[in-house]
Amino acid sequence: MKTNLRKNSKAIIILVIIAAFLFVAARGMSGRDVLITVLRGFSTGSVTFLVAAGFSLIFGLLDVLNLAQGTLYMIGAYVGWTVYVRPDTFIDVLTPVLLILAGFSLSALWGRLASRIQLAPKARKIISWLLILAGFGLLALVLTRYPIAIWNLNNYSESPITYSYMADQGLRIIPAEVTFEKISPFLALAGLLVSSAISAFGIALLNRDESRSQTINWRKFLVPALLLLGGILAVVFNAQITSWMYAMSTNWLFVIAILIAILSGVGLGALMETTLIRPLYNRPIYQLMLTLGLGTIGLQIVQAVWGRPEFVWPKPEFFTGTGGACPATNLADLLEYNCSTVFLLGGRVRVYDEIFIPIVGIIVLIVVWILLKRSRIGMIIRAGVQDRQMVEALGINVRRVFTLVFALGVGLATFGGALAAPSTGLTPVMGERLLLSALIALAIGGLTSFPGAALGSLLVGLIQQFMIKYGQIGIPLPFTDAVFKPSPPLVPASTVLLMVIVLLILPGGLLGSKE
Amino acid sequence: MKNNSSFLTKNRGILIFFAVMLLAPFLIGLFEGSTPLMIWGNQGSLSKFIEGLGIEIFILALFALSFDLLFGITGLLSFGHAMFFAVAAYLTGIALKTLAMPFWGVVLLVLLAAIVQALLFSLVLPRVKGITFTLVSLGLASVFHIIVMSSDMINLTGADVGLQGVPVPAFISPVTERLRFYVIALTLLVVTYLFYRRFVASPTGRVCVAIRENEDRAKMLGYNTTIFKVVVMIISSLTAATAGMLHALYQPSISPSIADLGFTVTGLLIVLIGGVGTLSGAIVGAFAFRLLDFTLRRFMGESASFITGAIYVIFVLFVPYGIVGTMRMRQLRTKPGWQRLLGMVKPKN
């Protein structure tokens, strides 16, 4: 115990100093303000933690600094918003996505076939690239004609801003359905499937060496068949599912939106890892630059699809009640009237922003912690963070674990985005801001340490919120009557300064590994 | 390349570049029908436009060159490099506009500030390595970006609108004396490049390459790697500051976007397109980047930055050595082939 204390003396001293600072800061305001500020700090910290935890898992195991994490957080928010506010668009998009996935998931079968074809290396290269190009060309041809009901950025009454504003007022606009006009349904579906299968075959032909040992059995067909079935069901019952989703309680719609956001993150993560990150494992700096570039591209795509202006994600019914005994003073009232605010210590606290988000953050922390500590896969991940080569030597398929961890990390980020968006709103700059906070939190806590991510995020959240609060009420300077009000730009600056100081004293962060 | 070859043969490429770029405005002037004398008197719109584009490219190339020295040669990936550039640009603007300082005093001040900043970064250097250094530099630079953007300093920096209306001394005004500005920027670029070439070839430069390859080994050989890193940091900062000063003098307004991570990434992209650690890659990359950006913006408008991002990803994945790096490797690969071919025709004695 004593040696443990001595080893971590610097970290403990820093923590004590920060705690003392926060305590002094808390003494300066009323109890009500302290409670709200601390709750908001927890809220900001939870969202930061979701992004930072994914980041640290990925960096710990894969040594990839995923700078696209901020953009993925933003994508999670936008995807979730689409499911929540425009379910019809979501159902329309679902079919092509599932069919393309079905086409690509046949690659195991194609790999087997491709390894049997004997071709000269050069001819193989040319033919595979031609196939890939042809596949993508056909895909583009079909997709541009495929009917998808979508908002119109150029027309204000059909823009995302109007849709979310009306949904917020409880007056949902249900847009007209679009039908297959430019292309017959059968041709569209077949085209999607065939074009993605062709490009998958081209890719399989390009790197045939990896797929030689795989055997073919009926399980290999299960996933493509399920995806295909899902896609076809979604297109056949399109109208029914859409009207069902529009009639659904917004609470359940919210749950679905969050789930879809997580799933899209997991899918995107797996895709990124297998196609783009994997070829660069022996060039770490290039991975970093790649993720940076992907972040920029993602940002541009979001701006092109959803537009630049800011809009809101209406909160679900469960958090928006105002009538009856609201703002609630006890739990029974809260549950009965679904109040949007509660009275705590004489101050109004928003249920979604300041109570629900921290609770979810803590639940995720516990779940991921248990996953890491108690499950087999968690054991492999922890071992991989310690010594990757040793794990490989013990005969564990590290590649699959890599993909899984990357997908999980990105899924956490998109989850964070979908969770935070109803309270912060959606803007194209949200990702960049959060990425900076998450990086700072990680640097403070320790880059590869999971508890460090939690601690760092909490500290960053608390400091930011205390600075914001003091920006409103002002700090009385000692020995003078003047009041110092930190301006909003000082909020991120203060956390950055904390990071620089912590890193100068402890290069590995508070809970990170020592060199 | 032989060791005893003269300065001229050693630097043939850059000298040819210098000559071509010097003649370029006059040659382009001929296309639009203006005589060299008219160009000399800063008339002729097309050549003036080309000169402007050239100045922008030279400024970017200077910035990328300094980034290449830091990242490509010494292996220090700094995400705060834009700060060197932006501090110089803002300092030039504020000193000329608000403080009304004499021009040479401003130059001195900016160079001093560059050294101070490099020393500030160097404080961090002995303690943090690798990714942590990247994060710390990003943090320091984002503090500066935040300060520039904040409304407290609006009288000095103009906050998010940017610093406008910098009174540029008449003798290098980009409006009336653009040719002179062009030649000055070009000369600065070429001189800096020559100096960098010399630096990398010197014993100090060799140690820097050793630090990039394996810092622990360089330390074990008895080199105090921190001092070398500090030296590189100061040189790089001075170069970036020069580029920033030229930027402040050339552009009608200094926007805060030059202080954020995006501008550092631009530098990284240029170095990547040209070839990491090649030095001449920075110049080639600046040309490729600016001309591509210009063309894309002209024809595609908004979606240009999407394509820039895609090109960036393609370069990372498929052309990791950049234009210059790939060409050099080709040369290495084709040279033995040629020699073998020659050997077949004319057997060696």
Side-chain angles (χ1 to χ4, degrees):
Chain A
M1 187 64 205
K2 204 168 183 186
T3 51
N4 217 352
L5 271 181
R6 194 171 298 156
K7 250 193 234 159
N8 298 317
S9 58
K10 280 181 186 166
I12 291 168
I13 291 170
I14 293 174
L15 273 179
V16 167
I17 291 174
I18 294 172
F21 256 112
L22 288 179
F23 183 71
V24 171
R27 285 293 298 275
M29 43 172 103
S30 62
R32 188 177 76 182
D33 284 349
V34 172
L35 180 81
I36 287 182
T37 312
V38 169
L39 282 178
R40 281 189 190 152
F42 269 90
S43 174
T44 318
S46 299
V47 175
T48 315
F49 165 72
L50 285 175
V51 177
F55 197 99
S56 101
L57 278 179
I58 294 172
F59 183 66
L61 187 68
L62 282 76
D63 271 339
V64 177
L65 210 59
N66 184 12
L67 292 177
Q69 197 83 341
T71 303
L72 291 162
Y73 161 85
M74 184 175 71
I75 289 175
Y78 277 92
V79 168
W81 176 88
T82 310
V83 177
Y84 187 82
V85 178
R86 288 292 304 267
D88 58 327
T89 308
F90 162 63
I91 298 293
D92 283 356
V93 171
L94 195 61
T95 310
V97 168
L98 285 180
L99 284 178
I100 291 169
L101 281 181
F104 274 99
S105 61
L106 282 170
S107 61
L109 176 71
W110 293 143
R112 185 75 180 166
L113 268 179
S115 67
R116 289 195 184 163
I117 300 174
Q118 295 297 329
L119 279 173
K122 217 160 218 174
R124 177 182 288 274
K125 214 169 190 180
I126 292 170
I127 289 175
S128 50
W129 276 112
L130 279 180
L131 281 176
I132 293 171
L133 275 181
F136 278 103
L138 194 58
L139 203 62
L141 213 64
V142 176
L143 275 183
T144 45
R145 286 168 177 70
Y146 194 86
I148 290 170
I150 199 163
W151 48 86
N152 183 357
L153 291 177
N154 299 321
N155 185 349
Y156 186 75
S157 61
E158 291 176 20
S159 67
I161 307 168
T162 313
Y163 281 111
S164 39
Y165 177 75
M166 293 307 272
D168 201 21
Q169 302 293 313
L171 308 161
R172 269 173 168 261
I173 309 171
I174 299 182
E177 273 181 54
V178 286
T179 46
F180 285 92
E181 280 167 359
K182 292 177 187 160
I183 191 166
S184 77
F186 177 74
L187 203 62
L189 298 187
L192 284 172
L193 199 63
V194 168
S195 57
S196 50
I198 288 176
S199 24
F201 186 68
I203 292 168
L205 204 62
L206 201 61
N207 42 11
R208 54 162 193 164
D209 302 336
E210 290 177 21
S211 46
R212 210 170 235 176
S213 59
Q214 286 171 346
T215 51
I216 300 288
N217 54 15
W218 62 272
R219 282 199 205 95
K220 288 270 181 336
F221 291 99
L222 194 63
V223 177
L226 278 179
L227 287 171
L228 189 63
L229 190 70
I232 289 173
L233 283 181
V235 75
V236 170
F237 297 105
N238 188 319
Q240 284 88 333
I241 301 176
T242 307
S243 56
W244 176 68
M245 279 183 86
Y246 269 117
M248 190 191 272
S249 143
T250 48
N251 296 333
W252 288 111
L253 202 56
F254 182 70
V255 173
I256 293 177
I258 295 260
L259 283 179
I260 296 294
I262 297 174
L263 272 182
S264 67
V266 169
L268 271 179
L271 193 72
M272 262 173 81
E273 205 276 339
T274 46
T275 55
L276 296 175
I277 310 274
R278 193 171 279 179
L280 297 176
Y281 270 129
N282 40 7
R283 290 183 299 195
I285 291 289
Y286 285 87
Q287 287 171 343
L288 191 151
M289 297 196 281
L290 179 81
T291 55
L292 205 61
L294 288 179
T296 324
I297 294 179
L299 184 66
Q300 299 301 328
I301 291 176
V302 166
Q303 283 181 353
V305 175
W306 283 277
R308 282 166 196 269
E310 184 173 351
F311 49 89
V312 294
W313 175 337
K315 286 171 194 161
E317 280 161 16
F318 190 73
F319 302 104
T320 50
T322 46
C326 288
T329 45
N330 54 25
L331 196 63
D333 277 355
L334 174 67
L335 290 180
E336 192 184 341
Y337 298 106
N338 298 333
C339 293
S340 59
T341 53
V342 291
F343 264 120
L344 274 179
L345 290 182
R348 273 184 167 205
V349 176
R350 284 172 293 178
V351 176
Y352 184 86
D353 300 28
E354 281 130 30
I355 296 177
F356 180 68
I357 294 180
I359 290 175
V360 174
I362 292 167
I363 292 173
V364 171
L365 171 68
I366 294 168
V367 167
V368 177
W369 185 246
I370 290 172
L371 189 79
L372 279 179
K373 283 281 174 192
R374 289 273 176 264
S375 71
R376 189 179 148 72
I377 193 88
M379 205 171 69
I380 296 173
I381 293 172
R382 276 186 298 140
V385 172
Q386 289 280 325
D387 191 340
R388 190 168 45 189
Q389 277 157 343
M390 193 65 208
V391 177
E392 243 168 290
L394 289 173
I396 288 161
N397 186 352
V398 192
R399 275 199 168 176
R400 192 169 290 168
V401 182
F402 278 10
T403 311
L404 194 79
V405 167
F406 204 93
L408 182 74
V410 174
L412 279 176
T414 50
F415 180 34
L419 187 69
S423 93
T424 59
L426 297 106
T427 59
V429 292
M430 63 193 284
E432 201 183 330
R433 274 186 211 152
L434 202 93
L435 180 69
L436 194 63
S437 323
L439 279 179
I440 292 167
L442 278 175
I444 291 175
L447 271 175
T448 57
S449 145
F450 185 71
L455 180 71
S457 308
L458 180 63
L459 282 179
V460 166
L462 282 177
I463 289 171
Q464 281 182 358
Q465 292 303 328
F466 268 103
M467 287 298 279
I468 290 172
K469 195 72 202 171
Y470 268 113
Q472 290 162 5
I473 59 178
I475 305 170
L477 293 175
F479 313 118
T480 53
D481 293 333
V483 173
F484 170 63
K485 284 190 176 178
S487 62
L490 282 176
V491 174
S494 60
T495 52
V496 169
L497 276 184
L498 178 71
M499 173 187 88
V500 172
I501 293 168
V502 168
L503 284 182
L504 283 182
I505 301 169
L506 287 166
L510 286 176
L511 302 181
S513 55
K514 319 255 174 326
E515 280 170 44
Chain B
M1 208 178 283
K2 284 173 203 161
N3 275 333
N4 55 3
S5 56
S6 69
F7 173 79
L8 286 177
T9 43
K10 249 193 212 166
N11 300 301
R12 201 170 19 177
I14 187 70
L15 291 175
I16 291 172
F17 166 79
F18 187 53
V20 168
M21 289 321 286
L22 268 185
L23 287 176
F26 298 99
L27 291 178
I28 283 162
L30 290 179
F31 278 108
E32 60 167 353
S34 42
T35 58
L37 264 178
M38 283 165 73
I39 309 287
W40 186 257
N42 282 299
Q43 287 157 337
S45 56
L46 180 67
S47 64
K48 217 170 169 182
F49 169 74
I50 293 290
E51 281 165 26
L53 201 61
I55 293 168
E56 280 175 28
I57 291 173
F58 299 151
I59 292 172
L60 278 177
L62 261 180
F63 178 66
L65 206 57
S66 68
F67 194 68
D68 198 23
L69 181 71
L70 206 59
F71 168 57
I73 304 291
T74 321
L76 290 168
L77 180 58
S78 157
F79 271 178
H81 202 65
M83 182 176 158
F84 295 148
F85 186 85
V87 165
Y90 271 98
L91 208 57
T92 312
I94 292 170
L96 283 176
K97 190 184 169 192
T98 317
L99 308 178
M101 280 170 69
F103 180 70
W104 295 109
V106 173
V107 173
L108 215 64
L109 180 74
V110 166
L111 294 182
L112 254 175
I115 294 175
V116 170
Q117 277 178 84
L119 292 178
L120 174 74
F121 270 62
S122 308
L123 276 183
V124 187
L125 274 176
R127 299 215 44 108
V128 293
K129 265 187 229 160
I131 292 297
T132 324
F133 173 72
T134 308
L135 289 181
V136 173
S137 57
L138 174 65
L140 287 174
S142 55
V143 169
F144 177 71
H145 185 225
I146 288 162
I147 291 171
V148 165
M149 291 282 280
S150 78
S151 50
D152 299 331
M153 309 265 282
I154 195 158
N155 292 329
L156 285 178
T157 62
D160 45 1
V161 183
L163 186 57
Q164 280 166 344
V166 178
V168 180
F171 73 99
I172 48 161
S173 157
V175 184
T176 52
E177 297 282 345
R178 185 167 288 188
L179 185 67
R180 188 178 285 165
F181 200 107
Y182 176 85
V183 173
I184 289 174
L186 176 63
T187 316
L188 272 174
L189 175 65
V190 169
V191 169
T192 315
Y193 175 76
L194 288 175
F195 172 71
Y196 272 32
R197 282 277 302 260
R198 184 70 192 83
F199 177 78
V200 173
S202 73
T204 317
R206 293 276 155 224
V207 178
C208 292
V209 176
I211 292 174
R212 176 190 69 191
E213 294 299 327
N214 192 334
E215 191 179 343
D216 291 329
R217 202 169 287 174
K219 254 185 198 161
M220 207 189 71
L221 286 172
Y223 293 109
N224 185 349
T225 52
T226 311
I227 289 180
F228 288 93
K229 285 199 239 170
V230 171
V231 167
V232 165
M233 196 62 117
I234 290 174
I235 294 175
S236 170
S237 167
L238 282 174
T239 316
T242 315
M245 197 157 59
L246 287 176
H247 178 86
L249 294 174
Y250 175 67
Q251 296 289 355
S253 75
I254 307 165
S255 101
S257 68
I258 55 164
D260 70 359
L261 178 61
F263 195 67
T264 308
V265 173
T266 305
L268 189 61
L269 177 60
I270 292 172
V271 171
L272 194 71
I273 291 177
V276 179
T278 54
L279 292 187
S280 54
I283 299 175
V284 174
F287 267 88
F289 172 79
R290 190 67 188 90
L291 294 178
L292 193 76
D293 193 53
F294 176 75
T295 331
L296 284 177
R297 250 172 232 292
R298 187 121 184 224
F299 293 110
M300 318 274 302
E302 275 292 298
S303 54
S305 42
F306 170 73
I307 295 172
T308 317
I311 288 168
Y312 181 79
V313 168
I314 288 170
F315 259 85
V316 170
L317 277 175
F318 299 111
V319 201
Y321 303 105
I323 298 172
V324 174
T326 315
M327 263 162 55
R328 278 191 193 166
M329 282 179 57
R330 280 276 156 76
Q331 234 170 17
L332 282 182
R333 216 176 295 148
T334 44
K335 219 174 176 183
W338 272 109
Q339 280 167 347
R340 217 179 306 141
L341 212 67
L342 284 176
M344 276 186 344
V345 180
K346 199 171 68 177
K348 261 184 200 165
N349 300 325

